[in-house]
Amino acid sequence: PQAPSIRNDIRDCYTDPPYLPPTATNTTARLAALRGIMRDHGVHAYIVPSTDAHMSEYISKRDARLGWLTGFAGSAGTSVVTQDKAALWTDSRYWTQAERELDCNWELQRTTWIESIAMWILEAVPVGGNISLDPFLFSIDTWNSYSQALHGSGRTLLPLEPNLVDQAWGDQRPPPSSSKIYSLPAAFTGSSWWEKVAGIRQQMEQHVRHPTAVLLSGLEETAWLFNLRGDDIPYNPVFYSYTLLTNTNISLFVEGSRLSAEARESLRSACPGSLCVELQEYEQVSAHLRHYTQGNVTVWLGTEYTTYGLYSVIPQEKLLEESYSPVMTAKAVKNAQEQELLRAAHVRDAVAVIQYLLWLEKTVPQGQVDEFSGAQHIDELRWNQNHSRGPSFQSISASG
């Protein structure tokens, strides 16, 4: 047992009764609800990651399953729940935060290694047990790592739909975004979306394996390809979507009612024809992909942004796997107009920073500014610049 903590801002589970700071979340009812659903599905351990279905670095409130279940609000972590235990794994950036936000239902594991998670599971789950996860929240590599770590252990790794945390969360789960998806003005794109599509199709023709389709799962891939933007995720101008681009047609899986009139007109302007974008419901991507891959086809995808759930829909012999899709690599190469726009954006930002430094010189000696109010002020100065859509992440302010 550890010595009792002398701090009052972190939990102490070794006192009687345990001490919890006001920042901790009571997760007893949430765990009970999840465990009941696990029993109904014959699941002995359930793994919950901090990711979404697109392997996004940032996620929406609706996808913050780990945060809801544990109370932990850090951006990286994995939790595992059994019928009598619950543990959270996270890295050193978040150890103190976790001790402030977790209640005593949770063990904090100060590592992120999948091997560590697997060893804990093997100790907690008897031989013959089922270990489950939502395959649409795990990358291909992460699934393979768990599969390898548990191989030969007598336990079964079982992909399971629908998501069990979503069922426990119920109607308290935040609704999907309803904001408009809009077209980026031509002045900011450097090339039209049909020129981008033509370039990707040319790469498909030139590839030695001649893939018949490219599957896009990364949210920035679809946003870039069609010159569209949204705000489904804080600090990121993206929207929930998938794209299947074939030699002859284009399927965009998105909530169609959210497209602005201009965006819809842009996507449908070439109909009918090979540049006509067929709008399909976001949830239909798996069924569509399953149907498409019954034919004589080859699907090119980037493994870094594709979940195991989508990957497993496609027969292995019909897959062309690379770390990044041709859209992701094309997006990384900026044309002359994009380069000029980048430089101009940095100049505007530099103006805001210089204004901020001058403001600090005048204000700090008066004792009226701290790190938080300073961060708010530089955000305001940036907002005042032309074309500002807000910061790319919450300000990480200096200390002391």
Side-chain angles (χ1 to χ4, degrees), residues 68-139:
W68 176 80
L69 182 64
T70 66
F72 170 66
S75 67
T78 302
S79 67
V80 180
V81 176
T82 68
Q83 285 301 329
D84 57 357
K85 290 183 177 182
L88 170 77
W89 284 258
T90 191
D91 64 72
S92 58
R93 293 173 297 168
Y94 296 116
W95 292 345
T96 301
Q97 179 178 341
E99 295 286 10
R100 296 181 77 241
E101 294 176 340
L102 297 176
D103 66 7
C104 290
N105 287 311
W106 294 89
E107 303 171 17
L108 175 60
Q109 303 288 331
R110 298 168 190 261
T111 177
T112 58
W113 298 108
I114 288 176
E115 291 81 0
S116 164
I117 301 173
M119 285 178 62
W120 187 93
I121 290 171
L122 290 175
E123 288 183 12
V125 176
V127 172
N130 290 326
I131 297 135
S132 283
L133 48 74
D134 180 345
F136 288 90
L137 294 181
F138 287 81
S139 70

Side-chain angles (χ1 to χ4, degrees), residues 214-250:
V214 173
L215 174 65
L216 305 180
S217 293
L219 298 183
E220 62 267 45
E221 296 179 297
T222 289
W224 177 85
L225 184 66
F226 296 114
N227 292 331
L228 297 176
R229 297 292 184 269
D231 60 359
D232 291 10
I233 297 177
Y235 309 111
N236 292 261
V238 295
F239 51 92
Y240 286 105
S241 56
Y242 295 95
T243 298
L244 187 68
L245 170 63
T246 78
N247 296 323
T248 54
N249 56 40
I250 308 166

Side-chain angles (χ1 to χ4, degrees), residues 196 200 203 218-225 229 238 305 325-335 338 342:
K196 293 177 179 179
I200 301 304
Q203 288 193 53
L219 298 183
E220 62 267 45
E221 296 179 297
T222 289
W224 177 85
L225 184 66
R229 297 292 184 269
V238 295
Y305 288 87
S325 77
V327 168
M328 197 63 90
T329 51
K331 184 175 78 71
V333 181
K334 306 303 179 188
N335 61 38
E338 288 171 320
L342 281 168

Side-chain angles (χ1 to χ4, degrees), residues 126-318:
V127 172
N130 290 326
I131 297 135
S132 283
L133 48 74
D134 180 345
F136 288 90
L137 294 181
F138 287 81
S139 70
I140 300 162
D141 286 346
T142 303
W143 166 272
N144 289 338
S145 295
Y146 278 112
S147 182
Q148 187 175 346
L150 297 170
H151 181 71
S153 68
R155 286 85 167 169
T156 302
L157 185 60
L158 196 67
L160 197 61
E161 300 171 68
N163 188 285
L164 303 191
V165 173
D166 291 352
Q167 293 180 50
W169 206 345
D171 57 11
Q172 297 301 306
R173 187 183 177 206
S177 176
S178 58
S179 60
K180 283 296 179 188
I181 299 166
Y182 58 94
S183 291
L184 199 62
F188 293 100
T189 61
S191 55
S192 65
W193 71 259
W194 49 89
E195 288 173 324
K196 293 177 179 179
V197 165
I200 301 304
R201 282 176 168 160
Q202 187 177 14
Q203 288 193 53
M204 292 162 64
E205 289 175 18
Q206 293 172 348
H207 197 285
V208 65
R209 285 193 56 192
H210 304 296
T212 60
V214 173
L215 174 65
L216 305 180
S217 293
L219 298 183
E220 62 267 45
E221 296 179 297
T222 289
W224 177 85
L225 184 66
F226 296 114
N227 292 331
L228 297 176
R229 297 292 184 269
D231 60 359
D232 291 10
I233 297 177
Y235 309 111
N236 292 261
V238 295
F239 51 92
Y240 286 105
S241 56
Y242 295 95
T243 298
L244 187 68
L245 170 63
T246 78
N247 296 323
T248 54
N249 56 40
I250 308 166
S251 296
L252 171 59
F253 301 87
V254 68
E255 190 61 51
S257 62
R258 295 180 52 207
L259 289 165
S260 70
E262 184 186 11
R264 181 180 287 270
E265 185 181 340
S266 168
L267 296 173
R268 305 288 292 168
S269 60
C271 295
S274 63
L275 286 172
C276 173
V277 179
E278 298 172 8
L279 299 176
Q280 311 222 24
E281 288 301 311
Y282 173 78
E283 293 81 8
Q284 292 301 309
V285 62
S286 292
H288 184 94
L289 200 56
R290 191 172 281 112
H291 177 75
Y292 175 75
T293 53
Q294 288 176 359
N296 182 24
V297 298
T298 302
V299 179
W300 192 359
L301 55 77
T303 56
E304 289 293 317
Y305 288 87
T306 306
T307 62
Y308 178 77
L310 267 191
Y311 173 83
S312 62
V313 168
I314 306 168
Q316 199 69 35
E317 69 275 8
K318 297 180 180 182

